[in-house]
RNA sequence: GGGGUCGUGGGGUAGCCUGGUCUAUCCUGCCGGCUUCGGGAGCCGGUGACUCGAGUUCAAAUCUCGGCGACCCCA
């Protein structure tokens, strides 16, 4: 592991690092002239599609069906859920005109789709036989952010919002669905090698209209928590507003119990940051737009032979299903190495005179910088093994560094120090009372992520009221 | 919600304080050529910018106000 795997800029100048990483890797174009809107570039879009493919696979295999609802929601429907709208009030874009005519009914650009989907649920759900109903869609949503915007992280148009909505006959079924969604999301983040903590959000930070909310948070290199997924148990709150009743076996009617859960392109930001180093991103082979780049090293007299072998290997690997790019440009090899490293391509194959002569190929890992050779005869098999290994090791490294950034503390002053230093997540004992939870936030300047789902309780007393702790909370500076 | 800094070719910048000599600096990229090729090569030629609007002034990249945009801090 050499100078190339440094994490100095990555850690100490994270904000700049992130913008440059997106630019150098050609993921996003950030110069679109409207605040908070960005352009997906071809390479970035390929990455996005890989990530979405995993998402779709996981949802389909757990019985969700994909749908696509309209972007526009009429004001009357939108405002029906008074409590819900309070959550997005002031953040909604309105369409007020059609051509030169002022619209009688204003249309909201969806900030999320509950208010457009649930009225349709009311038409679709008649009896218990229609339940459970599990759908999802991957759409863009609009939120009028007044704060600073940041590509992939804080957007006015979230271009990639996966939202699942389910309806169930009983409260128990809805709760079970929440647990199932947690499991699905775990698998999803594991595929990306993105580490996380799972918390039950505190009462004062619950999604408008939800009974309770569960969230996944990861950690940015600057020590701030980044929420990358949320799961809500909506109980019958929306069902009552939108009249989602079903007929039970005995003929009685009851409101359905609902859940919804979402993940956005923030998860791509997370993948970029947790696996990055000073050179830029390094994508796990599972989602890398290009998994293997092949660079032929030409040499005097026999320019063609390296090229020929490179072409053959590229063809073989492609046929075996790998995403391969053969870089035949007339540039010096060093330049190509550098460029592909900045694109986060996890594996590079070099084929030069020595390699051709010895019937081998030189292999370089992006994540570790490790360099070695493998025989041409077994390229296919070896590459498969190495990519798998890289996936595994990248995930393990990310988790290790993540867990090192979570510390158990029992003193408010010490917690505040961690918050001020942006040094990660703190676990602290908690009596469970809302007043004490809010006091945590006031006295440490951090945000309470919530109560950890895996029940890692800390012993001791609540540092605010000094009464015995019933549970523990996670606290962090957040995005 | 409050406060601050900033905006110069595709990217990064010098110049601005103290208006004129700016026909706007340098690095990089990009295009063409030569030469090279196992870690960002070199040489020659070329391309390309003062965020927008209003104002002050004989004169504005430079000063004033506003819009749009970027970044930072605090609540």
């Amino acid at each position: 592991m050499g100078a190339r795997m440094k994490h100095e800029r990555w850690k100490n100048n994270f904000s700049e690092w992130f913008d440059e990483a997106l630019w150098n890797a050609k993921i996003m174009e950030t110069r679109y002239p409207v605040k908070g809107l960005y352009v997906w570039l071809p390479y970035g879009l390929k990455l996005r599609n890989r990530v979405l493919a995993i998402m779709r696979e996981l949802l389909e295999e757990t019985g969700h069906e994909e749908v696509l609802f309209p972007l526009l929601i009429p004001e009357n429907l939108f405002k029906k859920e008074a409590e819900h709208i309070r959550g997005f009030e002031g953040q909604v874009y309105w369409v007020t005109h059609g051509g030169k005519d002022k619209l009688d009914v204003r249309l909201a650009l969806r900030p999320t789709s509950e208010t457009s989907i649930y009225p349709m649920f009311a038409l679709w759900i008649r009896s218990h036989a229609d339940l459970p109903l599990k759908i999802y869609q991957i759409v863009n949503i609009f939120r009028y952010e007044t704060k600073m915007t940041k590509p992939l992280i804080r957007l006015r148009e979230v271009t990639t919002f996966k939202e699942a909505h389910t309806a169930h006959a009983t409260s128990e079924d809805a709760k079970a669905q929440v647990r199932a969604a947690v499991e699905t999301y775990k698998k999803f983040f594991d595929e990306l090698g993105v580490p996380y903590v799972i918390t039950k959000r505190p009462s004062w930070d619950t999604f408008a209209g939800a009974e309770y909310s569960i969230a996944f948070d990861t950690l940015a290199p600057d020590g701030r928590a980044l929420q990358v997924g949320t799961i809500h148990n909506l109980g019958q709150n929306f069902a009552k507003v939108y009249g989602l009743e079903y007929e039970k076996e005995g003929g009685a009617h009851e409101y359905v119990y609902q859940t919804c859960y979402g993940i956005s392109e923030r998860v791509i930001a997370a993948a970029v940051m947790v696996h990055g180093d000073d050179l830029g991103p390094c994508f796990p082979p599972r989602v890398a737009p290009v998994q293997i780049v092949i660079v032929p090293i030409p040499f005097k007299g026999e320019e063609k032979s390296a090229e020929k072998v490179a072409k053959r290997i590229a063809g073989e690997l492609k046929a075996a299903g790998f995403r391969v790019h053969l870089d035949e440009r007339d540039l010096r090899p060093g330049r190509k190495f550098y460029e592909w490293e900045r694109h986060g391509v996890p594996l590079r194959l070099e084929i030069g005179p020595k390699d051709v002569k010895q019937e081998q190929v030189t292999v370089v890992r992006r994540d570790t910088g490790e360099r070695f050779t493998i025989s041409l005869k077994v390229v296919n098999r070896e590459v498969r093994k190495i990519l798998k290994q890289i996936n595994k090791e990248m995930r393990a490294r990310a988790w290790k560094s993540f867990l090192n950034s979570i510390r158990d503390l029992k003193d408010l002053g010490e917690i505040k120090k961690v918050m001020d230093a942006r040094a990660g997540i703190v676990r602290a004992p908690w009596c469970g009372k809302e007043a004490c939870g809010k006091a945590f936030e006031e006295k440490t300047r951090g945000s309470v992520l919530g109560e950890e789902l895996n029940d890692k309780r800390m012993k001791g007393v609540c540092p605010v009221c000094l009464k015995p702790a019933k549970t523990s909370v996670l606290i962090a500076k957040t995005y």
Side-chain angles (χ1 to χ4, degrees), chain A residues 44-191:
Chain A
L45 198 65
K46 286 190 180 87
L47 172 67
R48 175 182 184 268
N49 289 341
R50 298 304 314 167
V51 171
L52 291 184
I54 296 172
M55 191 78 239
R56 284 196 165 95
E57 201 179 305
L58 286 170
L59 288 172
E60 295 287 338
E61 76 188 23
T62 49
H64 299 72
E65 291 192 296
E66 187 166 9
V67 296
L68 189 54
F69 272 72
L71 167 65
L72 300 176
I73 306 173
E75 183 169 12
N76 51 324
L77 271 193
F78 188 76
K79 289 206 161 159
K80 217 169 171 178
E81 221 298 36
E83 190 189 4
H84 180 58
I85 195 159
R86 214 174 301 138
F88 291 96
E89 212 168 36
Q91 285 199 76
V92 175
Y93 281 95
W94 289 101
V95 175
T96 58
H97 288 77
K100 288 180 178 168
D101 301 331
K102 196 171 174 200
L103 298 178
D104 292 336
V105 178
R106 295 195 299 167
L107 300 167
L109 298 187
R110 62 181 161 218
T112 172
S113 305
E114 284 75 12
T115 58
S116 69
I117 292 178
Y118 300 163
M120 294 297 105
F121 271 20
L123 302 177
W124 297 344
I125 298 168
R126 302 259 66 107
S127 82
H128 63 90
D130 298 321
L131 300 173
L133 178 60
K134 300 200 277 183
I135 57 123
Y136 74 98
Q137 62 175 356
I138 300 173
V139 296
N140 58 345
I141 56 171
F142 289 83
R143 292 179 188 180
Y144 179 68
E145 293 286 350
T146 54
K147 286 287 162 200
M148 197 197 305
T149 50
K150 201 166 186 55
L152 299 179
I153 292 177
R154 181 166 288 108
L155 305 158
R156 283 182 164 181
E157 179 187 5
V158 176
T159 67
T160 313
F161 186 59
K162 188 287 299 171
E163 49 179 332
H165 298 268
T166 71
H168 306 268
T170 65
S171 174
E172 288 66 39
D173 287 353
K175 282 178 188 158
Q177 186 59 45
V178 166
R179 289 192 295 272
V182 168
E183 291 310 309
T184 300
Y185 279 6
K186 276 185 183 173
K187 279 187 199 160
F188 176 68
F189 292 120
D190 286 344
E191 292 270 18

Side-chain angles (χ1 to χ4, degrees), chain A residues 178-449:
Chain A
V178 166
R179 289 192 295 272
V182 168
E183 291 310 309
T184 300
Y185 279 6
K186 276 185 183 173
K187 279 187 199 160
F188 176 68
F189 292 120
D190 286 344
E191 292 270 18
L192 301 181
V194 171
Y196 47 81
V197 285
I198 311 171
T199 59
K200 185 172 175 185
R201 283 281 188 256
S203 52
W204 62 93
D205 191 24
T206 296
F207 181 68
E211 307 254 296
Y212 61 89
S213 297
I214 287 167
F216 283 67
D217 290 272
T218 191
L219 207 52
D222 64 1
R224 285 193 276 185
L226 182 71
Q227 175 180 300
V228 288
T230 52
I231 300 166
H232 310 289
N233 187 336
L234 303 176
Q236 294 180 312
N237 294 334
F238 281 89
K240 285 175 181 166
V241 172
Y242 290 96
L244 309 191
E245 279 182 273
Y246 74 98
E247 191 173 324
K248 300 172 106 165
E249 282 182 57
H253 287 231
E254 192 186 351
Y255 289 115
V256 299
Y257 295 82
Q258 293 177 275
T259 78
C260 67
Y261 30 103
I263 281 181
S264 78
E265 63 233 68
R266 264 192 177 200
V267 68
I268 295 174
V272 166
M273 60 180 74
V274 302
H275 301 305
D277 60 29
D278 282 359
L279 269 171
C282 173
F283 295 113
R286 184 76 171 87
V287 292
V290 175
Q291 297 171 303
I292 306 156
V293 63
I294 302 181
V295 180
I297 317 284
F299 49 106
K300 253 208 177 94
E302 288 184 80
E303 281 84 357
K304 293 291 169 208
S305 64
E307 213 174 284
K308 224 169 106 188
V309 175
K311 250 188 188 132
R312 204 188 77 218
I313 299 298
E316 279 176 22
L317 290 170
K318 263 181 206 165
F322 296 107
R323 296 187 287 281
V324 183
H325 179 78
L326 173 59
D327 191 348
E328 297 180 285
R329 292 175 301 169
D330 185 23
L331 296 171
R332 294 167 63 100
R335 164 81 173 269
K336 295 183 184 176
F337 299 165
Y338 184 68
E339 271 187 28
W340 291 111
E341 279 163 356
R342 297 207 302 185
H343 276 73
V345 174
L347 200 62
R348 177 173 78 237
L349 304 188
E350 302 171 13
I351 299 171
K354 282 178 221 153
D355 301 303
V356 172
K357 206 172 292 172
Q358 296 175 35
E359 301 196 338
Q360 65 180 30
V361 53
T362 298
V363 180
V364 183
R365 278 175 62 157
R366 167 70 179 84
D367 62 330
T368 59
E370 202 181 338
R371 175 190 288 266
F372 49 95
T373 61
I374 55 183
S375 161
L376 277 181
K377 288 178 195 132
V378 295
V379 167
N380 220 307
R381 198 180 69 211
E382 283 301 307
V383 160
R384 189 176 304 278
K385 216 164 81 186
I386 295 162
L387 289 179
K388 218 172 153 185
Q389 189 70 11
I390 293 176
N391 264 319
K392 208 172 126 192
E393 290 180 20
M394 283 180 68
R395 179 166 63 228
R397 270 197 303 273
W399 267 104
K400 191 176 171 207
S401 125
F402 179 71
L403 293 175
N404 279 338
S405 301
I406 302 176
R407 64 193 82 186
D408 292 4
L409 292 175
K410 299 179 176 181
D411 178 82
L412 285 175
E414 282 178 40
I415 298 171
K416 183 171 186 301
K417 267 187 215 159
V418 174
M419 293 301 120
D420 289 346
R422 306 268 149 85
I425 299 174
V426 169
R427 183 183 292 116
W430 183 36
C431 63
K433 286 198 294 281
E434 181 169 324
C436 289
K438 286 188 171 168
F440 274 127
E441 297 193 331
E442 278 159 34
K443 295 190 176 173
T444 68
R445 299 271 169 85
S447 299
V448 170
L449 300 180

